Amino acid sequence: MSVKLLTTILLSLSMLGCASQDKKNAKILNSSKEWNDMQRKLDSLFNASYSAGTFNGNVLIASGDTILFQKSYGIANHSTGQLLNDSSVFELASVSKQFTAMAIVLLKEKGKLNYADSLRYFFPELPYSNITVKHLLHHTSGLPDYMELVMRNTKAGSIATNESMIALLAEHKPSINFKPGEKWEYSNTGYALLASIVEKASGKSFADFLQSAIFTPLGMTHTEVYHRRYDKRTISNYALGYVPGGKGNFILDDSVPGIRDYVTLLDGISGDGTVISTTSDLLKWSVASDKHLLVSEAVQKEIFTAGTLNNGSQHGYGYGWMIMKAKPAGHIITHTGGWPGYATLIEKHPDHGKTIIVLSNHDQSGVVFKKIKDILYNITETAPKEIKLESGKLADYAGTYELAPDFKITITAKDDKLFAQATGQGEYEVFAEKEDLFFYKVVEAKIKFNRNEKNEIISLTLLQEGQEIPGKKIN
């Protein structure tokens, strides 16, 4: 997980959606003024994003196993005109990682492996020492990302697999980014390797193990491991993924040569992605963790507990889940996923028993999740008022601030205005609410600048979604 300023799911839309509720999968409230008001506000929020062309997908919000809100917005297949519905199947991208992690946990509970097992115990051909299964689970292995290596060394038109990826790591021996346990760095490589460890330890294919150990027992009938191009089979009611095509329209991800080559070549690799599912099935998955249907309460608690680095500090990631605290929800257990054509999120609020699931088959979005939470918890906030600061003061804020090893915010003052640009994102103007406190208009977020005893600005704090993320000024 890299820190992101815009923590919205990336999506878009083009046709009216349709709504329905799966009464077989959850109890549904249907008589409550408060419930009706909440539904109206949520529908208004998503319809506004839909109408603005910034959301296309399915939404499900629940309290325990009771569905509070479930609706589809937009289209599943532009060529046929098929609309999304409650049973539309989406690619989950990195939301898949929680299933990979659970597979490892189940095998550990059966005595098939240990978290302290070395990576080289399973793959002696790899050159990486002192990396354990737990390092892989927590993204603290230091392993380099496999994608560039695979793209550079795989024949055009072919499809890489976990086996071929591991062979490339063994052959090219790319250096680790840091000593195991020293830092936290999101690693697709680690979770792809975990999928292959599942196969070694279970004697089954990764897909078969997830099916028999997780999906079938939980009644997740629309969930499986699926490689759309590698498997060469079709799934009914499939939400095809679309990417921006210019002039406000969206085109199939396979229609763009560069994207097509990327998603095709990497399509055979499992563990870091490639699970497909529906909102209703993901609710079953969420409820299963609350009721400890797969593992004991103690083991489930371990899954939802942030790990620690070698220096004893916590890094905010459990086993396939991001762990945090933010008002008004309190404890938050969540994961997002992003892949060309798809943007996904599942978020649990255990203090209140709430689950939020949003699946999109357009990879650009303007959905603000803080607004969802404000509606759920009946929070009303007044918009900040802009004030003008002297242009000379704005120059004091200029500089680069590091919030994480792979995420920085650069502040620039120009033409009596202040701008902020986060890693991998555009430059946006920020507006003074008061001295040292600025807010965005493109997203619900603020930046607070911090001074030392000499009145020098030494850091900033990004305030978003109830989180406070500090960033040291590095130049």
Side-chain angles (χ1 to χ4, degrees), residues 38-39 42-43 46 59-61 67-71 73:
M38 183 204 65
Q39 278 215 325
L42 287 168
D43 192 31
F46 283 101
V59 184
L60 189 154
I61 299 172
I67 294 176
L68 302 177
F69 182 81
Q70 185 175 20
K71 192 166 182 178
Y73 299 83

Side-chain angles (χ1 to χ4, degrees), residues 132-147:
T132 66
V133 169
K134 181 166 280 192
H135 286 136
L136 300 178
L137 286 168
H138 279 158
H139 296 294
T140 57
S141 67
L143 288 168
D145 190 83
Y146 73 80
M147 293 185 183

Side-chain angles (χ1 to χ4, degrees), residues 447-464:
I447 291 177
K448 178 180 179 293
F449 292 93
N450 309 303
R451 299 176 182 269
N452 62 15
E453 64 280 358
K454 297 179 181 179
N455 205 37
E456 300 167 331
I457 296 174
I458 58 172
S459 66
L460 63 71
T461 304
L462 175 63
L463 309 171
Q464 188 179 24

Side-chain angles (χ1 to χ4, degrees), residues 209-391:
F209 184 82
L210 261 59
Q211 195 66 53
S212 62
I214 300 175
F215 304 147
T216 297
L218 298 183
M220 298 173 68
T221 55
H222 299 290
T223 305
E224 61 181 290
V225 175
Y226 177 58
H227 308 266
R228 177 152 58 100
R229 301 154 188 90
Y230 186 78
D231 289 350
K232 296 181 180 179
R233 59 188 176 92
T234 58
I235 301 292
S236 62
N237 203 7
Y238 203 79
L240 292 171
Y242 293 87
V243 297
K247 299 181 179 180
N249 69 321
F250 279 76
I251 58 177
L252 191 66
D253 52 2
D254 284 343
S255 300
V256 183
I259 294 176
R260 180 183 63 239
D261 296 343
Y262 178 79
V263 296
T264 299
L265 193 147
L266 298 176
D267 189 61
I269 295 177
S270 295
D272 56 339
T274 68
V275 173
I276 60 173
S277 192
T278 66
T279 53
S280 295
D281 269 11
L282 287 176
L283 178 59
K284 294 178 181 179
W285 166 244
S286 178
V287 170
S289 67
D290 296 336
K291 296 183 176 181
H292 319 303
L293 299 183
L294 292 178
V295 294
S296 69
E297 182 176 0
V299 173
Q300 191 68 61
K301 182 178 179 180
E302 183 179 9
I303 292 170
F304 289 160
T305 299
T308 57
L309 300 175
N310 294 341
N311 63 9
S313 64
Q314 283 195 322
H315 51 63
Y317 200 94
Y319 296 166
W321 293 88
M322 304 169 191
I323 316 297
M324 62 187 74
K325 288 185 179 180
K327 296 178 180 178
H331 286 86
I332 294 176
I333 302 165
T334 186
H335 213 292
T336 58
W339 191 245
Y342 296 93
T344 58
L345 172 135
I346 180 170
E347 183 165 301
K348 294 173 60 64
H349 301 170
D351 293 347
H352 303 275
K354 299 289 194 301
T355 300
I356 300 169
I357 301 165
V358 183
L359 305 180
S360 159
N361 62 323
H362 284 195
D363 70 356
Q364 198 171 60
S365 165
V367 177
V368 179
F369 285 97
K370 182 180 182 301
K371 290 184 178 180
I372 299 174
K373 297 169 191 176
D374 287 348
I375 293 170
L376 278 180
Y377 297 108
N378 198 26
I379 303 296
T380 302
E381 291 189 1
T382 58
K385 294 183 179 180
E386 179 185 351
I387 65 169
K388 291 294 183 182
L389 295 180
E390 297 175 11
S391 58

Side-chain angles (χ1 to χ4, degrees), residues 396-444:
D396 293 342
Y397 303 112
T400 301
Y401 300 79
E402 184 178 59
L403 287 75
D406 60 347
F407 186 82
K408 300 175 178 64
I409 294 180
T410 299
I411 304 295
T412 306
K414 50 189 176 183
D415 299 328
D416 295 331
K417 297 178 180 180
L418 199 67
F419 296 85
Q421 183 168 20
T423 300
Q425 300 178 28
E427 184 179 68
Y428 300 99
E429 186 177 359
V430 291
F431 303 85
E433 182 175 350
K434 61 182 180 179
E435 189 170 346
D436 295 346
L437 182 62
F438 293 74
F439 63 94
Y440 288 85
K441 291 184 179 179
V442 296
V443 65
E444 293 196 18

Side-chain angles (χ1 to χ4, degrees), residues 34-200:
E34 180 181 353
W35 174 73
N36 288 332
D37 187 52
M38 183 204 65
Q39 278 215 325
R40 178 184 57 78
K41 290 178 179 178
L42 287 168
D43 192 31
S44 177
L45 173 66
F46 283 101
N47 263 323
S49 293
Y50 176 81
S51 299
T54 57
F55 181 71
N56 192 96
N58 282 2
V59 184
L60 189 154
I61 299 172
S63 179
D65 61 358
T66 299
I67 294 176
L68 302 177
F69 182 81
Q70 185 175 20
K71 192 166 182 178
S72 302
Y73 299 83
I75 194 163
N77 187 321
H78 284 280
S79 64
T80 65
Q82 179 184 353
L83 294 175
L84 293 168
N85 57 53
D86 287 354
S87 298
S88 294
V89 179
F90 293 76
E91 296 183 24
L92 297 185
S94 285
V95 168
S96 305
K97 288 181 171 68
Q98 55 205 249
F99 299 108
T100 305
M102 178 58 83
I104 291 290
V105 171
L106 292 172
L107 288 167
K108 188 266 183 185
E109 290 300 291
K110 293 179 179 180
K112 299 292 186 179
L113 56 77
N114 292 299
Y115 297 142
D117 286 343
S118 167
L119 174 62
R120 296 190 67 185
Y121 171 76
F122 298 99
F123 306 105
E125 68 271 27
L126 294 180
Y128 308 111
S129 301
N130 303 319
I131 294 176
T132 66
V133 169
K134 181 166 280 192
H135 286 136
L136 300 178
L137 286 168
H138 279 158
H139 296 294
T140 57
S141 67
L143 288 168
D145 190 83
Y146 73 80
M147 293 185 183
E148 182 180 351
L149 177 70
V150 170
M151 291 291 292
R152 191 173 60 245
N153 294 283
T154 304
K155 184 179 177 182
S158 59
I159 298 178
T161 63
N162 288 52
E163 289 182 354
S164 66
M165 180 270 290
I166 292 169
L168 287 174
L169 289 173
E171 177 186 355
H172 294 274
K173 301 178 176 58
S175 300
I176 59 172
N177 297 328
F178 51 83
K179 293 181 180 178
E182 188 176 83
K183 297 180 181 180
W184 185 93
E185 185 175 274
Y186 194 80
S187 175
N188 287 307
T189 306
Y191 268 74
L193 288 169
L194 285 173
S196 294
I197 288 173
V198 168
E199 295 186 334
K200 292 261 187 176

